[in-house]
């Protein structure tokens, strides 16, 4: 009985771990930044109405994606596969 309970608990933890992601939207740098992980991706999306801007990501294996020098009024969008390591998302305002 104890083994069955442990197996069910472990399956529940694994199921929750594969479904959940971390996502956040904040107002920063005069624009809107969406960033986080979900569906196996790490992403960074940034919008600024009046400045050139961009976003980038670097996953825990060092794989990088960038979307720099987006025109004002457009969303920048960078993403790559997420890892079990630390994944990072960035935004910037101005030409890069």
């Amino acid at each position: 009985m104890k083994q069955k309970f442990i197996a069910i608990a472990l399956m529940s933890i694994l199921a929750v771990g594969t479904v959940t992601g971390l996502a956040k939207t904040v107002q920063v740098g005069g624009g809107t930044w969406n960033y986080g992980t979900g569906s196996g991706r790490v992403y960074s999306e940034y919008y600024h109405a009046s400045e050139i801007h961009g976003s980038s990501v670097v996953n825990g294996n060092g794989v990088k994606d960038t979307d720099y020098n987006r025109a004002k009024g457009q969303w920048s969008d960078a993403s790559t596969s997420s890892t079990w390591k630390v994944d990072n998302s960035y935004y910037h305002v101005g030409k890069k």
Side-chain angles (χ1 to χ4, degrees):
M1 183 69 162
K2 186 175 181 180
Q3 289 176 333
K4 185 177 181 181
F5 173 76
I6 292 171
I8 291 171
L10 181 58
M11 286 188 295
S12 298
I13 290 168
L14 292 174
V16 170
T18 59
V19 174
T20 60
L22 301 173
K24 189 153 186 159
T25 299
V26 294
Q27 301 299 311
V28 63
T32 303
W33 185 30
N34 301 325
Y35 65 96
T37 59
S39 300
R41 309 293 292 165
V42 54
Y43 65 92
S44 178
E45 304 164 338
Y46 189 70
Y47 175 87
H48 201 290
S50 60
E51 298 284 341
I52 291 174
H53 57 280
S55 55
S56 60
V57 294
V58 181
N59 74 11
N61 293 327
V63 177
K64 182 178 183 179
D65 185 41
T66 62
D67 187 6
Y68 293 153
N69 302 323
R70 267 298 168 171
K72 60 185 177 181
Q74 294 182 355
W75 281 94
S76 65
D77 181 14
S79 70
T80 192
S81 58
S82 60
T83 67
W84 288 102
K85 303 173 188 175
V86 176
D87 298 317
N88 295 288
S89 300
Y90 306 93
Y91 79 95
H92 75 274
V93 179
K95 199 165 189 176
K96 192 162 183 138

